[in-house]
Amino acid sequence: VQVVESGGGSVRAGGSLNLSCEVSGPTSRYCIAWFRQVPGKERQAVATVQSDGTVKYKESGTERFTISRDSGKNNLLLKMNNMEPEDTAMYYCAAHPGSCPYCTDRFCIPDFTYFGQGTQVTVSS
């Protein structure tokens, strides 16, 4: 299974960025998610979406973010608007076969099986 992120980069506060994720695997029934991590902190789920496009989890305080997925396809798009310096992080896409793990703002159970290499997002003030 391959998880490939694209997008990311640097933007000024108030700007927008889009992150895309493509999962290649033997099935279309993956839960796909975006995580983010800042140095010194645990990786944290931003949003998880099951294979039919249903959003199962979305981090509180991310109303500025839109998550979307084509039903039955292994792609996930994260649109981030009105970005803030606090959004600066390494963003990872992840995939898990079958149903989405149960996620909170601190952990997912079980943990996601496959992670991409990550893409850096930097928001300057």
Side-chain angles (χ1 to χ4, degrees), residues 45-110:
V46 176
T48 69
V49 183
Q50 63 185 36
S51 58
D52 66 357
T54 301
V55 178
K56 299 298 291 181
Y57 171 80
K58 196 164 183 283
E59 181 185 3
S60 62
T62 59
E63 292 77 15
R64 300 171 287 108
F65 295 179
T66 302
I67 192 83
S68 61
R69 177 178 180 178
D70 294 330
S71 181
K73 295 188 177 181
N74 287 335
N75 58 7
L76 192 64
L77 179 63
L78 179 66
K79 294 184 177 181
M80 301 182 288
N81 298 314
N82 194 22
M83 297 187 72
E84 302 172 351
E86 292 73 22
D87 297 323
T88 295
M90 183 70 79
Y91 284 72
Y92 296 90
C93 184
H96 189 80
S99 299
C100 285
Y102 170 75
C103 292
T104 71
D105 61 353
R106 297 181 63 185
F107 57 80
C108 290
I109 294 177

Side-chain angles (χ1 to χ4, degrees), residues 2-80:
Q2 286 188 315
V3 180
V4 180
E5 304 105 337
S6 61
S10 297
V11 66
R12 296 185 67 95
S16 300
L17 279 176
N18 294 337
L19 302 182
S20 296
C21 175
E22 291 285 341
V23 177
S24 301
T27 176
S28 63
R29 291 196 70 251
Y30 289 102
C31 172
I32 304 178
W34 280 106
F35 287 77
R36 59 183 174 180
Q37 186 174 24
V38 297
K41 292 191 176 181
E42 295 290 323
R43 187 164 48 194
Q44 183 174 2
V46 176
T48 69
V49 183
Q50 63 185 36
S51 58
D52 66 357
T54 301
V55 178
K56 299 298 291 181
Y57 171 80
K58 196 164 183 283
E59 181 185 3
S60 62
T62 59
E63 292 77 15
R64 300 171 287 108
F65 295 179
T66 302
I67 192 83
S68 61
R69 177 178 180 178
D70 294 330
S71 181
K73 295 188 177 181
N74 287 335
N75 58 7
L76 192 64
L77 179 63
L78 179 66
K79 294 184 177 181
M80 301 182 288

